[in-house]
Amino acid sequence: FEAAFLRFEIPISKDVVLNKYFLDNLNLESLTTKAYRSYSPYDLVVNERKVISVPLEKVFLGLFAAAANGGVYKSYRWGAAYGRLRAWEAMRAFANVPEDFSQEQANEAFYQHEWFQFDSTDGWFHETGYNLGAMCLHKGGQELVVVAATDSD
């Protein structure tokens, strides 16, 4: 699990978040691409990282799946109803929505931000089941929230 709340002096845009060099300089293990040797001594493999802009519903679904199912072996940590509640709580934290906001007010706030998903092949994500890489660029572009989680055997 890795999480970060980053604040910038100068506002950044969606295009900056999608930039490989910007992400490499955040010093987050889940976002850093590394070169490594494959099993062949002659092959140098450069990891691939994919970052895409997504509708907030995609981030919500990733959070919901993880909360409701509990992991790769379907431990059903919370189940559907409590999983949905936990996913909404996580979305509120992502977007820094005040607790006293109604769900309608929270929904309006969610749509004011830019949402992203990411994945990489550098081994940080175990690729055994649930992998979650999500970012929320707050309105105004001065705050970026990053959450990454992976499940393993």
Side-chain angles (χ1 to χ4, degrees), residues 8 12-19 22-23 26 31 50-60 62-63 91 94 110 112-119 132-139 141 143-148:
F8 307 102
I12 62 171
S13 69
K14 173 180 167 179
D15 291 333
V16 170
V17 175
L18 295 169
N19 183 294
F22 171 76
L23 296 173
L26 293 180
L31 283 169
K50 179 174 65 171
V51 180
I52 57 173
S53 177
V54 296
L56 70 95
E57 291 84 2
K58 295 229 6 155
V59 173
F60 176 82
L63 294 167
M91 290 293 289
F94 249 124
F110 296 152
Q112 293 178 12
H113 304 308
E114 296 284 344
W115 299 87
F116 306 87
Q117 285 184 327
F118 65 91
D119 195 0
L132 174 70
M135 295 186 282
C136 176
L137 178 62
H138 289 190
K139 179 183 175 185
E143 298 170 342
L144 180 69
V145 179
V146 181
V147 173

Side-chain angles (χ1 to χ4, degrees), residues 93-143:
F94 249 124
N96 199 23
V97 173
E99 286 185 24
D100 62 344
F101 270 32
S102 69
Q103 189 61 44
E104 185 176 304
Q105 291 171 307
N107 288 344
E108 289 175 23
F110 296 152
Y111 282 101
Q112 293 178 12
H113 304 308
E114 296 284 344
W115 299 87
F116 306 87
Q117 285 184 327
F118 65 91
D119 195 0
S120 70
T121 60
D122 72 348
W124 195 92
F125 289 101
H126 294 289
E127 304 297 337
T128 58
Y130 291 107
N131 293 312
L132 174 70
M135 295 186 282
C136 176
L137 178 62
H138 289 190
K139 179 183 175 185
Q142 289 188 280
E143 298 170 342

Side-chain angles (χ1 to χ4, degrees), residues 9 33 47:
E9 290 182 27
T33 56
N47 288 305

Side-chain angles (χ1 to χ4, degrees), residues 23-24 27-34 47 49 120 122:
L23 296 173
D24 283 345
N27 294 320
L28 296 171
E29 289 183 31
S30 60
L31 283 169
T32 303
T33 56
K34 303 170 190 138
N47 288 305
R49 177 187 51 226
S120 70
D122 72 348

